[in-house]
Amino acid sequence: MKLIEGKKIAAEIKLEIAEEVKQIIAKGGKRPHLAAVLVGNDGASETYVNSKVKSCEEVGFKSTLLRFDNTISEADLLKAIDGLNNDADIDGFIVQLPLPKHIDEDKITQAVAPEKDVDGFHPINVGRLVIGLPSFVSATPAGIVELLKRYKIPTQGKHCVVLGRSNIVGKPMSILMAQKSEYANCTVTLCHSRTENLKEITKQADILIAALGIPEYVTEDMVKEGATVIDVGITRVKSDLTKSGWKLKGDVKFDEVAPKCSFITPVPGGVGPMTIVSLMKNTLLAGKGEVYKK
Ligand code: GUN
């Protein structure tokens, strides 16, 4: 069994991005600039956004954080998005989800200009991904493909089973793995809460990607000997063993599944760190105008 060290790979990629930024600046180019919109003060969202801002500093990007009270109206939030769409200095921006109940998330996602949508959530980017056009790809699935690539995990003709059909992870993940590409070309099965005979399907997976958000759902009896298991889950559960009083749990029962695998990601330190790095990569692409020509 080989551990897929996302944390280590993410650190390497950050250095690569930082080097590229140095070269851009040395040639008189513009420093990439990412903005993040944070509404309210949800603890987890705040942690994520702070990590994104910190990563910008690490790779040499400029970053702007726009904070709004959770009472902001949808109209005012749309105005702020319009401002970011029209700010020539900002290459890309994200609106941290979830948003308060009175705001329509679909409306907000669709208000972001596709060429600045470094989260890859806009229907134009999702549609472009589906038909194989250059697009911003949702950060977690893009990070997973990068891990498979860097660990040279065979994907050609393999059976990839994705658990979970969210718009942010499961759906784009299944599209990416089925893509006609050197690091994909999988036969893909997308499973969800209504899937029948789930275990029979997961047991056929050469690559099993768990993105359900149910701690320790995937057990040893669901996994084929020699499979690659990618765990996207990061659920906070109460724990007496840590100082903070909680710990992160993946969707996979790591201790019993790991011995059967050829490769497996840990939680934490597996997929998580790759998500932010993919956002940095998308921002770099946006700055360079490589997805939508500037
Ligand atoms: N909330 C949970 N994950 C994400 C993400 O990748 N991007 C944004 N904007 N919000 C999120």
Side-chain angles (χ1 to χ4, degrees):
M1 182 277 291
K2 197 164 176 343
L3 203 61
I4 299 178
E5 296 177 88
K7 199 173 165 188
K8 195 177 106 194
I9 302 292
E12 283 171 21
I13 297 175
K14 273 190 193 166
L15 291 178
E16 291 166 16
I17 298 173
E19 185 52 41
E20 199 168 338
V21 172
K22 266 191 208 152
Q23 284 173 18
I24 291 170
I25 304 299
K27 286 184 196 145
K30 178 187 163 301
R31 192 175 290 283
H33 187 177
L34 173 72
V37 176
L38 178 60
V39 180
N41 38 25
D42 172 72
S45 290
E46 208 144 322
T47 307
Y48 289 138
V49 169
N50 287 338
S51 312
K52 289 170 188 176
V53 169
K54 186 168 157 262
S55 293
C56 282
E57 282 166 22
E58 285 168 2
V59 299
F61 291 176
K62 195 170 161 189
S63 68
T64 298
L65 173 58
L66 270 79
R67 294 198 68 139
F68 298 103
D69 200 85
N70 60 7
T71 56
I72 189 174
S73 68
E74 187 178 274
D76 284 346
L77 188 56
L78 287 167
K79 260 187 225 155
I81 289 170
D82 197 43
L84 292 169
N85 284 338
N86 291 299
D87 183 337
D89 196 63
I90 288 172
D91 298 298
F93 66 98
I94 63 141
V95 181
Q96 189 65 30
L97 303 178
L99 291 168
K101 293 261 180 300
H102 66 278
I103 296 176
D104 181 344
E105 279 187 3
D106 289 336
K107 215 166 168 179
I108 299 301
T109 300
Q110 290 173 38
V112 177
E115 61 274 18
K116 293 197 178 189
D117 170 38
V118 285
D119 255 336
F121 293 172
H122 192 287
I124 296 262
N125 279 313
V126 179
R128 288 174 68 105
L129 170 69
V130 172
I131 60 172
L133 286 174
S135 65
F136 290 115
V137 180
S138 183
T140 300
I144 292 169
V145 171
E146 192 63 33
L147 284 177
L148 297 173
K149 224 189 242 187
R150 296 213 178 207
Y151 278 83
K152 298 187 169 60
I153 293 167
T155 59
Q156 300 283 324
K158 302 293 181 192
H159 188 187
C160 174
V161 175
V162 179
L163 300 182
R165 56 179 158 185
S166 71
N167 289 340
I168 297 181
V169 184
K171 280 185 206 158
M173 191 77 246
S174 65
I175 301 290
L176 278 173
M177 297 310 291
Q179 212 82 288
K180 204 170 196 170
S181 133
E182 193 184 342
Y183 302 102
N185 274 330
C186 284
T187 303
V188 178
T189 305
L190 180 59
C191 300
H192 45 78
S193 52
R194 302 289 172 93
T195 299
E196 291 181 358
N197 303 322
L198 183 68
K199 194 163 92 177
E200 306 314 314
I201 300 168
T202 59
K203 277 199 82 124
Q204 294 171 30
D206 300 303
I207 301 169
L208 179 62
I209 302 176
L212 294 159
I214 307 173
E216 301 189 322
Y217 183 87
V218 177
T219 45
E220 174 273 327
D221 55 325
M222 295 169 75
V223 177
K224 180 167 84 173
E225 194 73 44
T228 291
V229 173
I230 307 289
D231 190 348
V232 185
I234 33 162
T235 309
R236 287 183 194 206
V237 295
K238 285 209 171 97
S239 169
D240 298 332
L241 303 170
T242 62
K243 219 162 75 184
S244 61
W246 55 265
K247 68 182 282 194
L248 291 180
K249 277 240 188 277
D251 286 356
V252 177
K253 216 166 192 174
F254 185 90
D255 290 346
E256 62 175 57
V257 171
K260 283 188 104 172
C261 298
S262 54
F263 293 91
I264 187 166
T265 60
V267 175
V271 172
M274 293 301 292
T275 297
I276 290 190
V277 150
S278 299
L279 177 66
M280 298 298 120
K281 275 195 144 186
N282 279 349
T283 306
L284 186 62
L285 289 175
K288 294 197 292 185
E290 282 189 4
V291 175
Y292 296 86
K293 298 287 172 223
K294 275 192 173 168

